[in-house]
């Protein structure tokens, strides 16, 4: 069964540093998403991406965040200057509009710890 | 985007049928109802989706009344491994900006 993969599984960084979280969506999917989940809290939408551009973004997705699909397979989330409150699980998801259902496939997540 | 309301937590026992109800009073005409399951430190996993009446797959059933203002996820004969958080979401998949808005979910604990 095809799956979404994410690397690294755990990233530890110092406050103020830049991090890049990587995702490989399912190959024939065209819609991509980033979500985050602070420990013990609900999943929060960050951004959706289609046709090489951002479709929608939440209030959380401010100027410190950016997304990119650099090579047709990877989908990355960059956090430019990390803050302590960026510590969370970050999930990538992809979706195939043509299947006729709402199933977004989620990756296993990257746990980001900002010290 | 419609908001959903679910019980914060539920307990049940192995072998029982578990029903989790979600209310979505402001559901729009084009919205589908989707349920996800999430285990600790894992990504959410799709369980089932529906628009109206009843949908059944190998994992669960979804019951949606005619007014679509609520839905009930039914898990038959649960086991300990069904302990997880269950999320009910609504969204319009025809919207190119389709996104999932998550509530707090229902933490289901299955006891032996």
């Amino acid at each position: 069964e095809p799956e979404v993969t994410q690397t690294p599984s755990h990233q530890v960084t110092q406050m103020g540093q830049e991090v890049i979280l990587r995702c490989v969506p399912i190959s024939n999917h065209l819609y991509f998403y980033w979500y985050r989940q602070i420990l013990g809290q609900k999943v929060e939408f960050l951004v959706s991406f289609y046709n090489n551009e951002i479709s929608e973004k939440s209030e959380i997705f401010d100027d410190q965040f950016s997304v990119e699909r650099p090579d047709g397979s990877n989908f990355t989330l960059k956090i430019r200057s990390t803050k302590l409150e960026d510590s969370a699980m970050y999930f990538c998801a992809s979706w195939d509009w043509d299947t006729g259902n709402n199933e977004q496939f989620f990756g296993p997540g990257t746990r980001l710890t900002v010290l | 985007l419609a908001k959903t309301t679910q019980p914060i937590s539920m307990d049940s026992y192995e072998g029982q049928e578990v029903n989790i109800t979600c209310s979505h009073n402001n559901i729009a005409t084009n919205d589908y109802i989707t349920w996800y399951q999430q285990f600790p430190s894992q990504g959410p996993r799709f369980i089932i989706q529906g628009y109206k009446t009843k949908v059944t797959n190998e994992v669960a059933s979804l019951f949606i009344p005619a007014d679509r203002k609520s839905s009930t996820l039914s898990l038959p004969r649960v086991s300990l491994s069904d302990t997880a958080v269950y999320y009910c979401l609504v969204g319009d998949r025809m919207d190119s900006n389709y996104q999932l808005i998550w509530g707090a979910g229902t933490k289901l604990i299955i006891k032996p």
Side-chain angles (χ1 to χ4, degrees):
Chain A
E1 183 176 313
E3 59 181 16
V4 175
T5 59
Q6 291 185 243
T7 54
S9 56
H10 192 186
Q11 173 91 46
V12 181
T13 190
Q14 295 290 325
M15 189 170 58
Q17 294 298 301
E18 175 182 287
V19 295
I20 297 176
L21 310 183
R22 291 181 168 81
C23 168
V24 179
I26 293 172
S27 61
N28 61 336
H29 287 188
L30 299 178
Y31 293 82
F32 314 118
Y33 304 82
W34 283 101
Y35 295 88
R36 82 171 184 191
Q37 187 174 33
I38 296 170
L39 184 64
Q41 298 188 24
K42 64 182 182 181
V43 177
E44 298 175 291
F45 167 77
L46 292 179
V47 66
S48 59
F49 190 88
Y50 170 72
N51 200 25
N52 287 319
E53 60 182 24
I54 291 173
S55 303
E56 190 85 6
K57 59 183 181 179
S58 71
E59 294 176 348
I60 303 169
F61 194 89
D62 61 20
D63 290 344
Q64 71 164 146
F65 292 92
S66 63
V67 290
E68 193 177 30
R69 188 155 162 81
D71 57 15
S73 61
N74 290 283
F75 179 51
T76 62
L77 174 69
K78 182 190 291 185
I79 309 175
R80 257 180 280 282
S81 178
T82 51
K83 307 170 192 168
L84 294 176
E85 54 266 35
D86 294 328
S87 295
M89 284 288 287
Y90 287 81
F91 295 107
C92 171
S94 70
W95 178 49
D96 178 12
W97 190 89
D98 290 335
T99 60
N101 71 38
N102 291 356
E103 181 174 2
Q104 290 187 13
F105 290 80
F106 282 76
T110 292
R111 180 175 298 282
L112 176 64
T113 302
V114 182
L115 302 176
Chain B
L1 293 165
K3 292 183 179 177
T4 59
T5 304
Q6 306 173 233
I8 293 174
S9 64
M10 292 179 67
D11 292 351
S12 189
Y13 293 91
E14 282 192 293
Q16 298 295 304
E17 177 184 85
V18 171
N19 296 308
I20 306 174
T21 297
C22 175
S23 64
H24 25 80
N25 291 317
N26 298 321
I27 191 168
T29 303
N30 292 331
D31 285 343
Y32 277 71
I33 300 154
T34 310
W35 285 79
Y36 280 77
Q37 174 192 57
Q38 186 181 30
F39 298 113
S41 298
Q42 293 187 27
R45 186 173 70 117
F46 173 90
I47 302 174
I48 198 166
Q49 71 155 5
Y51 184 80
K52 60 181 179 180
T53 63
K54 177 184 175 182
V55 180
T56 297
N57 62 20
E58 64 277 6
V59 175
S61 295
L62 179 60
F63 298 91
I64 305 168
D67 66 3
R68 304 199 330 119
K69 294 183 183 298
S70 67
S71 59
T72 299
L73 175 73
S74 181
L75 304 172
R77 301 179 61 80
V78 293
S79 64
L80 296 176
S81 62
D82 292 316
T83 293
V85 179
Y86 292 82
Y87 296 94
C88 162
L89 303 102
V90 297
D92 179 3
R93 67 166 296 277
M94 299 306 292
D95 183 351
S96 61
N97 290 325
Y98 172 61
Q99 57 173 279
L100 295 175
I101 303 298
W102 301 75
T106 297
K107 185 173 183 179
L108 175 65
I109 298 173
I110 305 301
K111 302 175 183 178

